[in-house]
Amino acid sequence: MSNARSASKTTLIALYAVLAGYAILTLMPFFWMLITSFKTPTDVFKLPPSFKPSLLFTDEPMKNYTEVWVQRDFVVFFRNSAFVSFTAALGQVFTCSLGGYAFARLELPGKNILFAVVLVTAFVPVEVTIIPEFLIMRGLGWIDTFLPLIVPSFLVGAFGTFMLREYFSSLPDEYADAAYVDGASPFQVFWRVYLPLAQPALVSIFVIAFINNWDELLRPLLFLNSPELKTVPLGLMSLFSQYEASWTLLMAGSVISTLPLILIYMLTQRYVLQGFSGGGVKG
């Protein structure tokens, strides 16, 4: 018995050691990015590399962040990205919840074929559809507006539709039966019964859609021309030039752009884990 406990304890220690090593490797790029954001340009290329954030020991420890946020208009980029990401993610949650519920709970002719078509769209690269999408947006007069960044997110959500279909399918049928007995319509059953129960899955989809739209570079690069409409990824690109890059400012901008994603995941972590672990229990 003691040998078995010893072996189990050794295995647990080894497992934690592996996980700790993986965590260090994963966090190291962010740690280096954070340190570099508090350096001067000359300190970036020192050999051997230094882990000392030299600006923290000066009279202007936040110099890089102040320059990025104010002088490089990151406050505008940040606001634009927040608006686009929040609106697009909210729209995707709405349409995916409708589609997922319809595929899971309603009897529709040919719904399995239609659902397969929706899933196939998840495997189509954006590079295949971006030219027709650009022509459509130009024909609608939406170039240099936020609409090309927001509207497609309302209409394209194969993963979210699949996830909510599985979640709604896992919820007990008795909820719907009781609601129908009370005289509820199909939409009322969806809106008042099943949608509140799917809160973890809805939050998970919102977080994923928010991150995807926050990190989107190709569509803003194609559809936005005005400086006052640019998003954070375009703002980071502006720190590069043909011959040089402002690495300290780039790292400071990268930290600023990463913090909202970390914050939103920390606030919703419990719901995200519940959303990916499945729905209700049949019975």
Side-chain angles (χ1 to χ4, degrees):
M1 180 67 69
S2 60
N3 292 335
R5 286 183 178 178
S6 178
S8 177
K9 186 176 181 180
T10 302
T11 303
L12 190 61
I13 293 174
L15 178 61
Y16 277 113
V18 171
L19 291 176
Y22 178 76
I24 292 173
L25 289 175
T26 303
L27 293 174
M28 190 61 191
F30 181 80
F31 181 64
W32 182 255
M33 178 176 69
L34 184 63
I35 291 176
T36 306
S37 69
F38 288 102
K39 288 184 177 182
T40 61
T42 55
D43 290 336
V44 174
F45 299 102
K46 276 187 176 180
L47 292 176
S50 172
F51 286 89
K52 180 182 177 181
S54 54
L55 276 180
L56 287 180
F57 307 99
T58 66
D59 295 333
E60 296 179 302
M62 305 299 293
K63 178 181 177 181
N64 292 332
Y65 288 90
T66 302
E67 182 172 349
V68 166
W69 188 253
V70 180
Q71 298 180 20
R72 299 301 181 101
D73 292 330
F74 252 70
V75 61
V76 177
F77 304 148
F78 192 93
R79 183 181 64 229
N80 293 339
S81 283
F83 173 75
V84 169
S85 301
F86 181 83
T87 309
L90 200 63
Q92 190 164 133
V93 167
F94 177 72
T95 54
C96 288
S97 62
L98 290 174
Y101 180 80
F103 286 126
R105 314 298 307 185
L106 301 182
E107 295 299 329
L108 303 172
K111 72 174 184 178
N112 292 331
I113 297 176
L114 184 59
F115 181 65
V117 173
V118 172
L119 290 183
V120 168
T121 62
F123 301 96
V124 179
V126 66
E127 291 79 8
V128 175
T129 61
I130 195 64
I131 294 178
E133 186 176 328
F134 179 84
L135 296 176
I136 292 173
M137 298 305 171
R138 188 179 65 178
L140 293 172
W142 288 358
I143 300 298
D144 205 26
T145 70
F146 289 141
L147 291 175
L149 310 183
I150 297 174
V151 173
S153 189
F154 277 72
L155 307 177
V156 181
F159 173 78
T161 302
F162 169 77
M163 182 176 177
L164 280 170
R165 175 185 180 271
E166 298 304 308
Y167 202 95
F168 284 130
S169 297
S170 68
L171 296 175
D173 298 332
E174 287 78 6
Y175 296 148
D177 296 338
Y180 284 131
V181 169
D182 292 336
S185 65
F187 182 79
Q188 289 175 325
V189 173
F190 160 72
W191 188 258
R192 297 183 178 179
V193 179
Y194 282 100
L195 199 62
L197 293 174
Q199 184 180 19
L202 296 175
V203 173
S204 301
I205 294 169
F206 178 86
V207 171
I208 294 172
F210 186 93
I211 293 174
N212 289 339
N213 284 280
W214 184 273
D215 292 335
E216 179 70 54
L217 174 62
L218 181 58
R219 285 189 176 91
L221 188 62
L222 291 177
F223 296 127
L224 300 180
N225 299 319
S226 302
E228 64 272 13
L229 295 179
K230 290 185 177 181
T231 56
V232 167
L234 294 181
L236 293 175
M237 282 189 61
S238 68
L239 300 175
F240 286 93
S241 66
Q242 184 176 358
Y243 301 105
E244 62 178 355
S246 303
W247 291 108
T248 55
L249 300 183
L250 180 64
M251 294 300 104
S254 299
V255 171
I256 292 174
S257 67
T258 304
L259 289 179
L261 305 183
I262 297 175
L263 179 62
I264 194 173
Y265 180 77
M266 290 177 61
L267 294 176
T268 60
Q269 181 181 10
R270 178 168 61 92
Y271 296 101
V272 172
L273 294 177
Q274 292 178 7
F276 280 102
S277 63
V281 179
K282 289 276 187 178

